Amino acid sequence: METLSANLHLMMASFYRPNEEKFKIILEGKAFPSDHLNQYAVESQIRHHGFDPKDAMVLVEPQSSQESIVETSHILSIIDYHAPSTALILLPGIQYYTGQYFDIQRITAHAHGWGITIGWDLAHAVGNVDVKLHDWGVDFAVWCNYKYINAGPGAIAGLFVHEMHGGRDANNANGFRTRLCGWWGGDKATRFQMGNASKAKADDNTLPDFVPTPGAAGFQVGNPCALAVSSVIASLEIFEMTSMSEIRAKSIRMTNFLVELLQQDISNDSSMNKERPYEIITPSNPSERGAQLSVRLRPGRLEGILKVLEDNGVVVDERKPDVIRIAPAPLYNTFTEVWNFVQIFRSACQQVEESQAQKGNGGAAALKGQEQNGWSPVK
């Protein structure tokens, strides 16, 4: 339903209910722009409720600017410290920049131990890793379907609401969880009834005008575009031919193979000074990553390496100033393609290193004034 950003707003409208005592939102410090940067979802929701993002936003970042990974223990300690004043936690299933797969089950349980609602942005996790949102007790989750689900730009996004929040709520005056209501989320049995429902039964003035469809469907607002739905359906039909457990198993083998090739000894290659001109910043433990590997290049090498890759028909994602994201999708990529990629990539590194050697230290100067440590800015 809707788009990722719209679904995030819909969920926060329902699950972010701040007061003077509990008003903070804990989120990752380098969330993708749709999540928290200025004038985007979290900041705008905080301002909408009359709070200052400087006071209400608690950013989860690596403990050192030299590190990329956020340890689970560090996340739990932040929750512990801010729990008395926290109204909501919003974290990514997989961090888009490093590819780190957060421990959703453990962090969710810890948040609930403090009585804090927690939601997850699964944009880089859905279709990538096998998540069990209901079993793990996740309150809500949102995601887009144009990444690993392969539905293409403009496809509708996805939404999960745990059943404990999606049914009737006797404690709420409306009889259901507070939300932004729209006709497409209404009960199909009454959706097309004419008139005001509260006046339809004269002896019951408490009958609500809007009766939501049970579950996540009751959080829908308007009907989606048929074309945006059809592309998702076409992709999910392919997923139905296999299972996420099988996809995940192949993904682990494929990404392990990619790591092995990237870490092969290059001491015999004089052009690379006996050291790799790159480092993998994604967790080495397969259970702590999805299909993606993020690779940080030596300063000043990004553009040159991308040019060689593109000239050879290879497309990867770049995050300036020096990171590329490599994500072999197990649904359709092959081990042969992984092998071929690494040969082209290492050739690109060799060509760029030779060029840099000829220019002396000119490559490093290209990064003057740019961030070189920790997480890099979004392109």
Side-chain angles (χ1 to χ4, degrees):
M1 56 176 277
E2 308 297 337
T3 64
L4 171 57
S5 295
N7 286 344
L8 188 56
H9 274 294
L10 290 172
M11 289 296 93
M12 293 184 71
S14 181
F15 289 93
Y16 180 52
R17 315 295 295 176
N19 54 47
E20 291 300 321
E21 181 180 324
K22 299 175 74 68
F23 59 92
K24 293 179 181 177
I25 299 179
I26 298 176
L27 69 159
E28 60 163 326
K30 289 292 184 179
F32 199 73
S34 62
D35 293 350
H36 99 265
L37 291 184
N38 191 34
Q39 298 181 359
Y40 283 75
V42 171
E43 286 197 6
S44 62
Q45 287 283 342
I46 290 172
R47 295 184 190 280
H48 177 70
H49 286 281
F51 293 93
D52 188 337
K54 293 180 181 178
D55 301 322
M57 287 174 58
V58 178
L59 304 182
V60 176
E61 297 181 310
Q63 292 176 274
S64 166
S65 62
Q66 304 300 317
E67 299 175 357
S68 299
I69 304 306
V70 183
E71 298 294 339
T72 300
S73 59
H74 181 50
I75 297 174
L76 301 186
S77 68
I78 291 175
I79 294 174
D80 291 341
Y81 185 82
H82 292 279
S85 55
T86 296
L88 177 68
I89 300 172
L90 181 63
L91 294 172
I94 291 183
Q95 209 282 331
Y96 85 100
Y97 183 75
T98 64
Q100 178 183 358
Y101 181 16
F102 283 17
D103 192 336
I104 298 175
Q105 182 177 14
R106 184 180 175 191
I107 297 171
T108 297
H110 194 79
H112 288 170
W114 283 101
I116 302 173
T117 298
I118 182 167
W120 293 89
D121 178 349
L122 303 181
H124 294 266
V126 167
N128 183 1
V129 292
D130 194 7
V131 293
K132 297 177 172 58
L133 302 179
H134 180 274
D135 295 346
W136 295 343
V138 169
D139 292 301
F140 70 88
V142 294
W143 62 88
C144 53
N145 284 312
Y146 58 80
K147 293 184 174 70
Y148 293 94
I149 299 296
N150 312 303
I156 61 166
L159 171 69
F160 168 86
V161 176
H162 198 281
E163 64 180 6
M164 60 184 169
H165 302 301
R168 301 288 292 174
D169 184 357
N171 296 321
N172 192 296
N174 293 324
F176 56 86
R177 184 178 185 86
T178 300
R179 68 194 70 186
L180 295 179
C181 301
W183 79 282
W184 198 249
D187 190 335
K188 291 183 179 180
T190 60
R191 184 179 293 173
F192 290 98
Q193 286 184 358
M194 301 294 289
N196 188 313
S198 63
K199 296 178 181 179
K201 194 174 181 181
D203 61 346
D204 186 2
N205 293 325
T206 64
L207 184 67
D209 293 346
F210 176 82
V211 178
T213 300
F219 288 81
Q220 297 177 101
V221 177
N223 57 302
C225 168
L227 293 178
V229 174
S230 61
S231 60
V232 177
I233 293 174
S235 179
L236 293 180
E237 288 174 345
I238 298 175
F239 275 85
E240 280 292 313
M241 299 177 184
T242 179
S243 68
M244 278 308 304
S245 60
E246 291 177 312
I247 291 174
R248 176 63 170 153
K250 180 186 175 184
S251 176
I252 290 174
R253 296 195 304 271
M254 184 172 286
T255 305
N256 283 347
F257 183 50
L258 176 59
V259 170
E260 180 182 347
L261 293 176
L262 288 173
Q263 292 183 335
Q264 282 182 344
D265 182 27
I266 61 171
S267 59
N268 294 326
D269 192 336
S270 59
S271 67
M272 297 193 191
N273 300 319
K274 302 186 184 302
E275 293 182 3
R276 298 184 193 91
Y278 54 83
E279 63 171 329
I280 298 171
I281 62 173
T282 304
S284 58
N285 186 340
S287 66
E288 297 177 5
R289 67 185 183 218
Q292 170 188 332
L293 282 186
S294 293
V295 175
R296 177 179 288 128
L297 308 172
R298 283 179 180 165
R301 272 63 169 178
L302 179 64
E303 297 300 332
I305 288 176
L306 285 177
K307 178 65 167 57
V308 177
L309 291 177
E310 291 171 2
D311 288 346
N312 283 273
V314 177
V315 178
V316 295
D317 181 73
E318 60 172 304
R319 295 290 150 180
K320 290 185 177 180
D322 53 16
V323 169
I324 62 172
R325 301 188 299 173
I326 311 159
L331 192 65
Y332 51 83
N333 281 134
T334 66
F335 288 88
T336 299
E337 289 173 329
V338 172
W339 169 270
N340 290 339
F341 163 78
V342 174
Q343 308 317 304
I344 296 171
F345 174 68
R346 293 184 67 166
S347 175
C349 290
Q350 179 178 345
Q351 293 179 47
V352 171
E353 287 303 307
E354 291 174 347
S355 175
Q356 292 291 326
Q358 294 174 1
K359 292 189 296 184
N361 197 37
L367 281 181
K368 183 178 181 180
Q370 297 187 35
E371 178 184 358
Q372 298 188 43
N373 297 318
W375 278 338
S376 305
V378 178
K379 178 184 176 183

